[in-house]
Every structure is written in C-alpha cells, then in structure tokens.
Amino acid sequence: MIRPLRIGILEGDDIGLEVVPETIKVMRAAAAKAGCAIDWHPVPIGKKAFEELGNTLPTGTLDKLDTLDGWVLGPIGHQAYPKNNPNSINPHPILRRHYDLFANIRPSKSYPGIPCIYKDVDLILVRENNEGFPPDRNVHLGYGEFRPSPDMTIGIRVITRQGSQKVARAAFDIARTRQRKIVTAVHKDTVFKLACGMFAEECRKVAKEYPDVTFNEVLVDTMAAKLIMKPQQFDVIVTTNTFGDILSDAASALVGGLGLAPGLSAGPDRAMAQATHGSAPDIAGKGIANPYAMIMSGQMLLQWLGRKHKVEAALQAAELMERATEAVVKAGKVLTADMGGRASTREMGDAIADAVGDS
C-alpha cells in the first residue's frame, strides 16, 4: 500500500467519549514513531449524533466508512436511546452486517500485579459475529424473534456453512501467529445436532488445511467448567455467536474484568476496533474509566491492517503499543482504580503514550 491508512474515529456513547480519545492519542504516538502514515477521519455515531443530526447512524456515516480501511468504535449505549424512534437505532449490529465483520476477536490476558483470579492466562476467543441467536442480525428482513401468542416466544438461531467456515479459518490463521498453535472449537453437537453439528463439521474441515495447528473440540457446558478450572490450557477458542459472547465475558472476569477485555470485529476488507465492555453510563464523565481495553483494541486494529495490507510500519506501531501498554500495566504506577491504582483515564492514556515514545 503506497497511500496512508485511512482510519475512522467513532467515539460512541458515555465513556466512549473518554476512552476513545486516549486510544487515538496512543495510536498517533505509535504511528509517528513507527513512520506509519495514517489519515484520521472523525465520523458521527450514537447519542451525540442523534442530538446534533437527528439520527444515531446519520446519513453519510456508512458512505464515509466505505472509504476507510478500518475504524475505532467506542461503546454504544443504545439502551438509553429514545424508544420507538426509527432514527434512534443501535448502529453496532448494522455495522457488523453491512461490512461482513464476521469474526469477533477477544483476547484475555493476565498481568503480574493486576488483581485477577488466575495468572499466566493468554487466550483469544474468536466468536462468529453475524449469525446465531441475536435476532437483530440473523435475518435479512424483520426480526429473529416473534410471539405468536401472549404466552409463547420463538427465537431463531442461524448457522451457515459459509459463516462457520469463515470464522474457523480466522481462528486458525490467528493460531498460526501464536507460539502454542492450538485451536479449540466449542459447540454442543450432542444436542443441537444440525446447528452445532454444521459448525463442528466446518471446523473439522478447516482443521485439515492447517496440519501445523493442533485442533480439539469441547462441548460448551464442559467448556464453562474447564475455563473456570484451568484457563491456562487454552490458546485460541472458536465458537458460535452467543456461546462466544458468554464465554468471552467469563474469560475476561478471570483476568481482571471487562476493563481488560479488548476486541476487534474483522471482515474480508475492513476491521472495527471495539472493546468488549459497554458504555458504563454510571461512571461516564468522572474520568475514571479504564482505557486499557479500548487502547488494546486500537492496537489490534493496527496489527490487522498491517497484516491485511502488508504495511510493516503498521505492524511496528502495533508492537510499540503493545509493549508500551504492558510496560505501564506491569509498572503499576499509573493505573485506574479497577486495576488497583488511582490514575484518571487521561493520566493512564498519557502514561501509555509517553511509554511509546520511550520504547
């Protein structure tokens, strides 16, 4: 790629207005040091966009995103949006579907000195992002839940061979970049013989293309127990949408909570950095939100863009961000309260940006 990378800035809601600016600050510092050329593009979204432009996903936002390589999306507080208003929608699933961001990549890693249940955890959960049970994204038109009588609700679960194959391949590609090179597929094909059965079949097919990666399977209920008992045994976990949503939150709790849970939604052409946590309206505006998850989501975006477009400077910038963030976390001097410190969101962001310059 001979042109600069084009990255969007979508602050989202509540603490997104605090943690996203810190993320961009650190990304800018790392890109400058690595010599990675980036054009930054603020894009309106969420409650602020509704108040200023009359729509949570304004006309022109998707058109702008069409021109970008990826973007940083802050948490979306859609539960507080005005109800029964067609201009007040949750934009998050629309972005996932519109850009086929089929792989939701969620690392969980423990650090010395940070309060957590387990040490030496370093796993990545790869969750299928656009199918499964979520009713706002598993049908083309309409909604995947309906109530045919006052006392009955029916929900649809969608599993396709294509979707299963794509997310499985994403997991195996990630495993190849890691030291242990192990993929664990999680499903429940003993009960959901057709749906989970199809997912498992596609994972087994893809596994044959990766003889250098160890492959195994675990039933989801067994996985819940194994993840709590010994999470260190897992490397890369791949699973369906709702199973992955639940297991990734559990994994984050083992290493210190959602403040330490970054995420990336990746598709064939674009990727979206978005932390696993929500918008936390109860602490918004207080300057105490932990920026770690959002900053490391930005790091994942630079790494993905570097690999996708073969931009070595982006890979170097991602490595600088990772080293700087880990240095600040391990030093333990400038951390937010949930990590055992007293620093503000901005102070922690400043410390990581400064560490980029010192590395």
Side-chain angles (χ1 to χ4, degrees):
M1 178 179 286
I2 59 174
R3 61 167 175 80
L5 292 170
R6 294 191 288 257
I7 298 179
I9 305 170
L10 296 82
E11 291 187 337
D13 301 316
D14 301 318
I15 64 167
L17 305 179
E18 300 167 60
V19 296
V20 170
E22 300 309 311
T23 300
I24 303 305
K25 179 194 300 178
V26 177
M27 292 177 74
R28 285 181 185 274
K33 182 154 188 178
C36 178
I38 299 177
D39 288 339
W40 301 94
H41 300 267
V43 184
I45 201 165
K47 186 178 180 181
K48 188 176 179 181
F50 182 81
E51 293 171 348
E52 296 178 356
L53 303 171
N55 201 310
T56 55
L57 189 62
T59 301
T61 289
L62 291 180
D63 291 338
K64 183 62 178 179
L65 296 181
D66 286 344
T67 70
L68 306 180
D69 301 304
W71 50 89
V72 176
L73 174 66
I76 297 295
H78 63 91
Q79 291 185 347
Y81 292 175
K83 308 302 181 185
N84 302 316
N85 187 323
N87 294 329
S88 176
I89 57 174
N90 179 6
H92 185 203
I94 296 174
L95 297 180
R96 286 180 171 182
R97 287 184 59 180
H98 185 80
Y99 295 102
D100 191 22
L101 305 177
F102 61 85
N104 191 199
I105 304 162
R106 296 182 167 186
S108 290
K109 185 175 182 177
S110 55
Y111 290 95
I114 301 300
C116 61
I117 297 174
Y118 286 103
K119 299 178 180 179
D120 302 319
V121 176
D122 185 2
L123 63 85
I124 296 179
L125 192 144
V126 184
R127 161 198 176 204
E128 198 289 318
N129 220 14
N130 286 330
E131 298 181 351
F133 282 116
D136 56 0
R137 72 197 72 159
N138 63 7
V139 294
H140 177 62
L141 291 174
Y143 198 69
E145 286 186 332
F146 57 99
R147 185 166 293 169
S149 75
D151 301 315
M152 178 191 300
T153 299
I154 298 174
I156 297 172
R157 184 188 186 197
V158 175
I159 302 291
T160 68
R161 291 198 184 278
Q162 182 185 36
S164 301
Q165 185 181 108
K166 288 193 300 183
V167 75
R169 187 163 283 110
F172 277 90
D173 285 340
I174 291 171
R176 270 187 169 167
T177 69
R178 293 168 61 84
Q179 185 175 1
R180 289 194 287 167
K181 295 180 171 58
I182 304 171
V183 170
T184 302
V186 176
H187 54 75
K188 185 74 171 179
D189 70 345
T190 53
V191 175
F192 303 103
K193 297 182 183 298
L194 296 182
C196 278
M198 179 175 289
F199 176 79
E201 289 168 12
E202 294 308 308
C203 288
R204 293 166 195 152
K205 290 177 185 176
V206 172
K208 294 178 181 178
E209 302 174 18
Y210 295 78
D212 54 322
V213 177
T214 300
F215 174 65
N216 51 61
E217 303 175 45
V218 178
L219 297 180
V220 65
D221 47 342
T222 304
M223 184 65 182
K226 288 189 172 186
L227 191 62
I228 292 173
M229 293 175 68
K230 192 178 179 182
Q232 298 93 335
Q233 66 186 293
F234 298 108
D235 183 23
V236 177
I237 300 166
V238 62
T239 189
T240 52
N241 198 323
T242 300
F243 291 167
D245 198 18
I246 296 167
L247 291 175
S248 61
D249 277 17
S252 74
L254 300 177
V255 302
L258 287 173
L260 292 168
L264 184 78
S265 292
D269 302 311
R270 295 174 178 83
M272 175 175 73
Q274 185 184 31
T276 300
H277 61 69
S279 67
D282 56 322
I283 63 169
K286 298 180 180 180
I288 61 175
N290 184 352
Y292 170 93
M294 199 72 249
I295 289 171
M296 287 303 292
S297 299
Q299 184 271 343
M300 294 173 70
L301 176 61
L302 284 179
Q303 186 178 67
W304 186 90
L305 290 171
R307 289 173 177 166
K308 171 69 176 177
H309 299 290
K310 296 180 173 57
V311 180
E312 184 62 30
L315 293 173
Q316 293 173 4
E319 185 176 348
L320 287 169
M321 286 185 67
E322 183 173 20
R323 288 208 306 260
T325 305
E326 290 193 357
V328 170
V329 170
K330 289 178 180 178
K333 296 179 180 179
V334 192
L335 302 176
T336 50
D338 61 306
M339 300 178 77
R342 297 182 177 180
S344 68
T345 306
R346 180 175 295 179
E347 288 169 341
M348 186 170 170
D350 286 341
I352 296 173
D354 291 343
V356 168
D358 295 338
S359 60

